[in-house]
Amino acid sequence: MPHFLNTEDADFEDRFRALLSLKREDAPDVAASVADIVQDVRTRGDAALIDLTRKYDRFEVTPATLALSKAEIDAAVAKVPAAERQALQVAAERIRAYHERQKPANESWTDRSGAMLGWRWTAVSAAGLYVPGGLATYPSSVLMNAIPAQVAGVERLVMCVPTPDGLANPLVLLAAKLSGIETIYRIGGAQAIAALAYGTETIAPVDKITGPGNAYVAAAKRHVFGRVGIDNIAGPSEILVIADGDNDPDWIALDLLSQAEHDQSAQAILITTDPTFAELVVDAINQYLQVLERRDIARASWESNGAVILVQNLGEAAALADDIAAEHLELCVANPESLAGNITHAGAIFLGPWTPEAIGDYVAGPNHVLPTARSARFSSGLGVLDFMKRTTITRMTPGALADIGPAAETLAAAESLQAHGLSVAARLRRLNE
Amino acid sequence: MPHFLNTEDADFEDRFRALLSLKREDAPDVAASVADIVQDVRTRGDAALIDLTRKYDRFEVTPATLALSKAEIDAAVAKVPAAERQALQVAAERIRAYHERQKPANESWTDRSGAMLGWRWTAVSAAGLYVPGGLATYPSSVLMNAIPAQVAGVERLVMCVPTPDGLANPLVLLAAKLSGIETIYRIGGAQAIAALAYGTETIAPVDKITGPGNAYVAAAKRHVFGRVGIDNIAGPSEILVIADGDNDPDWIALDLLSQAEHDQSAQAILITTDPTFAELVVDAINQYLQVLERRDIARASWESNGAVILVQNLGEAAALADDIAAEHLELCVANPESLAGNITHAGAIFLGPWTPEAIGDYVAGPNHVLPTARSARFSSGLGVLDFMKRTTITRMTPGALADIGPAAETLAAAESLQAHGLSVAARLRRLNE
């Protein structure tokens, strides 16, 4: 049974808080093992990668075979059916077109004092993309991570994907090829993150690591944060659908289930003004839970974490949506733009009934790597800026320094930083000579 | 003795690598104590804050006095001398004017398929600024952290500053007042970070925490990362000056010393094409090291971490600068713009001899919270975007879904995510009815 809440119930506030703080994921604390693995890779380099890959992926690599050869990639890619190849190309093109628009502009101006001020954006030199092996190997995620890096102008883009028992997903390799990835290493887990951050004899270190992974990968990213840049730590997927009664219950049921089928820790929430519609959606979900291929996962997610919240009006819905700060927010109401204007926190918004969230997972164009677990309150989905950095620029003239230098001297003195003040004073003295 | 290197020396590459990997800071591993403190604050709330403040700051607070009262702030602020007040106002105005230009634009467009795509930027609702107590309480840092938040449109902006033995820095309080800080809590250390992240009976939790601090504060920020957003973990300050022989050695000496005087872990590096000029700078530094107020700190920094690197030409200098990826980069050469164009990685660039780095610490306008320890390879100084987040927006039409929906269905099938595909298929079926 999912959670049923009604804002008119006396205990609503308590039950809503309980829903928000539901501990959906019981992530084991693997920080200590991860620290050991990172240290092992830093100390022994390739030899550690070889041992750990034998242990965890039951696969024998050598320094020479850590990277997939061009022939291996081409052979695998050749197996991809034409329809899938074409669909991936459509996705890659649309994702690229969207992200091209995110490229930031450099700025430069001269202020009243005559100082030239501004900033410029440059790409990180090298980025590493982590792709999980096994069940959750998603070619779409390769595109979503790699294309923003490519658009940013990252010079060297590499990928790590574990190949348990030697198996690689051809569609993942094709996605890598379509998005400018230069080298693919068949390693995974914390050892792959360590190799990307610190480098080994064979693997050159990168400056930024992105991509999802299991608890070991997440802990390793947290561990190397600061040595390299990382993206957000990804949690289980979430969707919040706000729908009025004027919707097809079947569509909404499938939208909720398309998150629930990801993972039993995923969360799907429906907020509606219409109790009859809510019942129809729940009935439709129950029907699908009989037949879906991933029904066991979807049922576990829906019954533990799913929720239906009845509200009296869309104003209430907007306020709850801001508290939930959902990764995906679908607005199936008469005027979705207006409702969106009343909601501040969400990773991605899907407007109107013709915009199923799944279209954003693949081909709409916006990134599907989005903030989870209420982190949309303070962070954004992946984008071009994640692979760029801004350098500020200042050029003073003698006149500008004469104008604002004395204020700097005063503040330096107040902070007891004498050399700071003297570095300004020595120059101003020249002007008075 | 600082490090002297010459790119013509046979062992240059090794010595340069050694310089880059110099372990300047021996940060103690306090993760375990910090985890205990965070847990204590989460469990006991205000009571934990009161106990920890008594223990570490030798100061008795109550829930009612955790925040400084308006009267206390006004009384302290009234003590600030007029010159300092005016200098702080100049700084605040210039920092605000610079950061106003960083406000990002929302975008929205309709693509060929008829889909409406775009994104919008919104501010985080609440931000907490940490300000260290004791020696390194810098009013300028309050402005540099708070003004970008204020410009971003953060609704609730609070500050934590420990007041050891009850003492608060009036200029810090004035800086808070000038930059829109609503409430100032007199707590510090890991307990302050925990209170900002999780809240207590008295302190409402925030969404984003920024500001420098000691090893405990840094570890606490790493600990709460994900629950709230954090800025970069700040390391010791650094400057790289690239100067030709046509400079006043005194100016360059003072610029190098203005980093060295911060902290014995700070690093000042001079790269020059002119060996005679290098000697003159070193002589000038040695003179100042006799007389500077903070000479002991500056000497320790210069002798352990300082370096002079002789290069044969500015091309070599640019390549080394990219490897160093300095927090502050000063270019005192005939054509600094041209040299800057050949360097990719730096936190902030100061062009020409009339732009001492210290002007950027206070009044130039760009932010002085900048990436240290080579993290300019992948991260930016603090700015307005750190207090905002981007929500992507998609609105499909029936026609657009008919156009690109089939590709999404194909990819969903390839990823074995059936409900994803069905959520598109159910809508496309309606179009064919």
Side-chain angles (χ1 to χ4, degrees), chain B residues 23-315:
Chain B
K23 193 163 166 53
R24 285 148 51 198
E25 208 183 17
D26 207 13
D29 186 2
V30 296
S33 339
V34 161
D36 290 345
I37 292 174
V38 173
Q39 193 49 50
D40 192 21
V41 173
R42 288 184 69 177
T43 313
R44 297 197 301 130
D46 286 347
L49 293 181
I50 290 166
D51 289 350
L52 292 162
T53 301
R54 184 184 305 120
K55 180 171 170 187
Y56 292 113
D57 300 334
R58 302 163 301 280
F59 188 67
E60 202 63 42
V61 284
T62 66
T65 63
L66 272 174
L68 275 80
S69 70
K70 191 175 171 306
E72 283 174 291
I73 296 171
D74 289 347
V77 160
K79 288 186 208 151
V80 174
E84 292 183 10
R85 174 186 304 267
Q86 215 167 0
L88 210 58
Q89 269 160 351
V90 169
E93 275 161 32
R94 292 186 58 91
I95 295 164
R96 183 168 289 117
Y98 183 91
H99 287 83
E100 284 284 356
R101 290 182 179 252
Q102 289 185 339
K103 286 176 86 167
N106 297 338
E107 298 283 348
S108 174
W109 65 94
T110 301
D111 73 8
R112 275 186 311 181
S113 78
M116 192 278 282
L117 298 171
W119 63 79
R120 66 174 203 202
W121 290 91
T122 50
V124 304
S125 296
L129 163 55
Y130 187 84
V131 178
L135 277 180
T137 303
Y138 295 138
S140 58
S141 291
V142 175
L143 301 182
M144 294 290 182
N145 278 273
I147 290 175
Q150 195 186 24
V151 169
V154 173
E155 281 167 33
R156 187 167 63 86
L157 190 53
V158 304
M159 183 171 118
C160 287
V161 58
T163 57
D165 302 308
L167 300 174
N169 178 335
L171 209 52
V172 161
L173 302 186
L174 176 58
K177 204 169 168 174
L178 289 177
S179 47
I181 286 170
E182 201 172 86
T183 313
I184 302 172
Y185 298 104
R186 52 182 121 219
I187 53 172
Q191 60 272 24
I193 304 299
L196 289 172
Y198 290 97
T200 67
E201 302 90 320
T202 302
I203 300 178
V206 301
D207 303 304
K208 177 100 187 189
I209 300 174
T210 70
N214 64 14
Y216 286 83
V217 170
K221 281 165 67 181
R222 194 182 282 266
H223 187 97
V224 302
F225 167 57
R227 166 81 191 197
V228 297
I230 62 167
D231 60 350
N232 292 315
I233 307 284
S237 196
E238 308 149 0
I239 190 170
L240 168 60
V241 180
I242 301 179
D244 59 27
D246 196 17
N247 275 284
D248 186 328
D250 215 48
W251 296 9
I252 304 301
L254 285 165
D255 296 348
L256 293 165
L257 287 167
S258 67
Q259 294 308 300
E261 74 173 345
H262 265 293
D263 177 352
Q264 61 179 38
S265 306
Q267 183 167 53
I269 301 178
L270 169 65
I271 296 183
T272 181
T273 45
D274 185 331
T276 311
F277 177 74
E279 276 173 40
L280 292 171
V281 171
V282 171
D283 288 348
I285 286 176
N286 288 331
Q287 295 293 324
Y288 281 113
L289 286 178
Q290 308 295 319
V291 297
L292 280 181
E293 288 160 15
R294 295 170 67 88
R295 56 185 174 270
D296 292 344
I297 293 169
R299 184 181 299 112
S301 159
W302 177 242
E303 295 191 345
S304 310
N305 308 315
V308 175
I309 305 178
L310 277 174
V311 292
Q312 316 316 309
N313 54 59
L314 292 179

Side-chain angles (χ1 to χ4, degrees), chain A residues 83-84 87-88 90-91 94 98 101-102 109 111 113 115-125 138-140 171 206-207 222-223 225-230 233 248 251 254-255 257-258 261-262 288 292-294 330 336-337 340-341 343-351 353-356 358-359 361-364 366 376-383 385 389-398 401 404-405 407-408 410-412 414-420 422-424 426-427 430-431, chain B residues 83-84 87-88 90-91 94 98 101-102 109 111 113 115-125 138-140 171 206-207 222-223 225-230 233 248 251 254-255 257-258 261-262 288 292-294 330 336-337 340-341 343-351 353-356 358-359 361-364 366 375-383 385 389-398 401 404-405 407-408 410-412 414-420 422-424 426-427 430-431:
Chain A
E84 292 183 9
L88 210 58
V90 168
R94 293 186 57 92
Y98 183 90
R101 291 182 178 250
Q102 289 185 338
W109 65 94
D111 73 9
S113 78
M116 191 278 282
L117 299 170
W119 62 78
R120 64 173 205 203
W121 290 91
T122 50
V124 303
S125 296
Y138 294 138
S140 57
L171 209 52
V206 301
D207 303 303
R222 193 181 283 266
H223 187 97
F225 167 58
R227 166 80 191 196
V228 297
I230 62 167
I233 307 284
D248 187 327
W251 296 9
L254 285 165
D255 296 348
L257 286 167
S258 67
E261 74 173 344
H262 265 295
Y288 280 113
L292 280 181
E293 286 160 17
R294 294 170 68 88
E330 225 179 85
E337 279 86 358
I343 299 171
T344 307
H345 308 307
I349 299 181
F350 301 87
L351 296 171
W354 289 94
T355 318
I359 205 78
D361 283 339
Y362 295 114
V363 293
R377 292 174 296 125
F378 54 82
S379 63
S380 310
L382 198 68
L385 293 185
K389 63 269 186 336
R390 185 185 51 213
T391 300
T392 59
I393 297 172
T394 304
R395 179 167 194 160
M396 303 298 289
T397 59
L401 195 66
I404 67 172
T410 300
L411 292 171
E415 293 187 354
S416 302
L417 293 172
Q418 189 190 14
H420 283 67
L422 289 176
S423 75
V424 175
R427 287 160 164 100
R430 171 83 53 89
L431 291 178
Chain B
E84 292 183 10
L88 210 58
V90 169
R94 292 186 58 91
Y98 183 91
R101 290 182 179 252
Q102 289 185 339
W109 65 94
D111 73 8
S113 78
M116 192 278 282
L117 298 171
W119 63 79
R120 66 174 203 202
W121 290 91
T122 50
V124 304
S125 296
Y138 295 138
S140 58
L171 209 52
V206 301
D207 303 304
R222 194 182 282 266
H223 187 97
F225 167 57
R227 166 81 191 197
V228 297
I230 62 167
I233 307 284
D248 186 328
W251 296 9
L254 285 165
D255 296 348
L257 287 167
S258 67
E261 74 173 345
H262 265 293
Y288 281 113
L292 280 181
E293 288 160 15
R294 295 170 67 88
E330 224 179 85
E337 279 85 358
I343 298 172
T344 308
H345 307 306
I349 299 181
F350 302 87
L351 296 170
W354 289 94
T355 318
I359 205 77
D361 283 339
Y362 296 113
V363 293
S375 63
R377 292 175 295 124
F378 54 82
S379 63
S380 310
L382 198 68
L385 293 185
K389 64 271 184 336
R390 186 184 51 213
T391 300
T392 59
I393 296 172
T394 304
R395 178 167 196 162
M396 303 297 290
T397 59
L401 195 66
I404 67 172
T410 301
L411 292 172
E415 293 187 354
S416 302
L417 293 171
Q418 189 190 14
H420 283 65
L422 290 175
S423 75
V424 176
R427 286 160 165 100
R430 171 82 54 88
L431 290 179

Side-chain angles (χ1 to χ4, degrees), chain A residues 52-199:
Chain A
L52 292 161
T53 301
R54 184 185 305 119
K55 180 172 170 187
Y56 293 113
D57 300 334
R58 300 162 303 280
F59 188 66
E60 200 64 41
V61 284
T62 66
T65 62
L66 271 174
L68 275 80
S69 69
K70 192 176 170 304
E72 283 174 292
I73 296 170
D74 289 347
V77 161
K79 287 186 209 150
V80 174
E84 292 183 9
R85 174 185 304 266
Q86 216 167 359
L88 210 58
Q89 270 160 350
V90 168
E93 275 161 33
R94 293 186 57 92
I95 296 164
R96 184 168 290 116
Y98 183 90
H99 287 81
E100 284 285 355
R101 291 182 178 250
Q102 289 185 338
K103 286 177 86 167
N106 298 338
E107 298 284 347
S108 174
W109 65 94
T110 301
D111 73 9
R112 277 185 310 180
S113 78
M116 191 278 282
L117 299 170
W119 62 78
R120 64 173 205 203
W121 290 91
T122 50
V124 303
S125 296
L129 162 56
Y130 187 83
V131 178
L135 276 180
T137 304
Y138 294 138
S140 57
S141 292
V142 175
L143 301 182
M144 293 290 183
N145 278 274
I147 290 175
Q150 194 187 25
V151 168
V154 172
E155 280 167 31
R156 187 167 61 86
L157 191 53
V158 305
M159 183 171 117
C160 287
V161 57
T163 57
D165 302 307
L167 300 174
N169 178 335
L171 209 52
V172 161
L173 303 186
L174 176 58
K177 205 169 167 174
L178 289 178
S179 48
I181 286 170
E182 202 172 83
T183 312
I184 302 171
Y185 298 104
R186 53 182 120 221
I187 53 173
Q191 59 272 25
I193 303 300
L196 289 172
Y198 290 97

